Amino acid sequence: MKLSKRIQTVEGSKTARFIPLLDALKRQGRPVISLAIGEPTYDTPSPVIDATKRSLDRQETRYSDMAGLMGLRTALAGRFDGCGTENIVVFNGSKQALYAIFQSICDPGDQVIIPVPCWVSFAEQVKLAGGEPVFVATIDHQLDTEAIAAAVTGKTRAILINSPNNPTGAVYPREALERIARLANEHDLFVIADEAYDFFVYDNLPRSSFYDLETVRDRLILTRSFSKHYAMTGFRVGYAVAPPAVAEALVRLQSHVTGNVCTFAQHGAMAALEMDEGLLVRRRADLQHKRDLAFDQVSGLFPCVRPQGAFYLFPDISDHLHQGETSGGFAARVLEKTGVAVVPGEDFGMDGHVRICFAVPDDQLLEAFKRIREVL
Ligand code: GLU
């Protein structure tokens, strides 16, 4: 039996693959510590759980609006100046939002500029839409806006910017976003802003969102997620904020793909938005503490740029590679010898590095680094 050429050109998610892999190792009784999957180990907040249960008790288990529940879209629109419900589309996580965006803006051969290292699904999603990912290197994990400008061609449709960044934790300053906005305006491009970690910015750095730049709003497609901020990864609720014509296209696509996002999960998401920011602020402070703890540990082992946001370290492990070994080989060796799972940098388009998620309990972080130190 023959599979489509399209699916044959696409690789499975290099991060999500760790979920069944680590489950299997744990079932075998291996002492696994996962610093691989990007999800916080905090509990989902109880108001979210309670609202979801109440929704189930009310039998809110039926089809609902394919753009997202009006109550959720109204609450989300209220968080973005000048935004209405016609700008908001709710998806099964921002991962699906991004997939739908590329499907809706790319024709075959269209190019999407992606700074690297970058999250594992961007390039594959662009390819699934028939587009071509164009990778542009960063400098110390910050945007090289001149290189991005030089990469624009007649085929460029969009520039994709992910800040705070996965896998590096870099946060781009407003001036860099402004330069990208100017470039997009000059060349009539979309800006796709993946802001899945928007709230998790440390050291009181300003949280710069593309949405704050009014000049680019009519070409901005922004995605955010409930997953990371509210520890709701399994709920699968994320959303896009887009100009109405793009939002309408996204809903049209959605109408053939999943229809609505799980109705009672959206009620849980609504409850998350009703919570005051106290919990998020406390979790951000705790993540900053973990960032410091992890950065202190990693600095004794590898060179690493200090992350300013998200919950990842992206150290340079190249001095510890065996002859001919890539970061994939290194990560496999560390997992085999220590039970500590990290994601190879090559999966994010930058070999010689690994991604370490520090959103885990402190004792696990310390134990993981102890084991890594021993094997090195
Ligand atoms: N976004 C998370 C990560 O990078 C979860 C897995 C995925 O969807 O890629 O680890």
Side-chain angles (χ1 to χ4, degrees), residues 34-94:
S34 175
L35 308 182
I37 311 297
E39 71 178 342
T41 51
Y42 301 125
D43 282 348
T44 305
S46 54
V48 173
I49 300 283
D50 294 344
T52 309
K53 285 183 188 163
R54 282 199 302 276
S55 173
L56 281 166
D57 288 340
R58 289 194 302 267
Q59 293 279 332
E60 282 164 341
T61 54
R62 313 285 164 167
Y63 293 135
S64 52
D65 192 329
M66 289 169 295
L69 295 180
M70 188 49 93
L72 179 56
R73 282 190 290 141
T74 304
L76 288 170
R79 294 184 160 223
F80 296 89
D81 180 41
C83 179
T85 53
E86 69 281 7
N87 297 101
I88 308 279
V89 188
V90 181
F91 286 93
N92 293 294
S94 53

Side-chain angles (χ1 to χ4, degrees), residues 13 15-16 36-38 95 119-120 166 197 228 312 355:
S13 166
T15 44
I37 311 297
K95 184 186 258 189
W119 180 50
V120 296
N166 175 5
Y197 301 85
K228 318 285 180 181
Y312 305 110
R355 188 190 76 174

Side-chain angles (χ1 to χ4, degrees), residues 20 25 37 42 57 82 118 142 176 200 203 214 216 226 253 255 267 280 282 292 306 331 336 339 362 368 371:
L25 290 176
I37 311 297
Y42 301 125
D57 288 340
C118 63
Q142 287 292 324
F200 293 147
D203 308 322
E214 283 183 44
V216 84
F226 287 83
L253 177 65
S255 75
H267 281 278
L280 280 187
R282 285 195 299 282
D292 292 341
R306 186 180 172 85
E336 176 57 31
D362 292 7
R371 292 189 201 173

Side-chain angles (χ1 to χ4, degrees), residues 36 56 80 86 90 98 107 116 118 135 164 168 177 179 186 200 247 270 371:
L56 281 166
F80 296 89
E86 69 281 7
V90 181
L98 287 156
D107 282 319
V116 279
C118 63
F135 300 111
T168 63
L177 305 190
R179 282 201 289 276
E186 266 165 46
F200 293 147
M270 260 193 277
R371 292 189 201 173

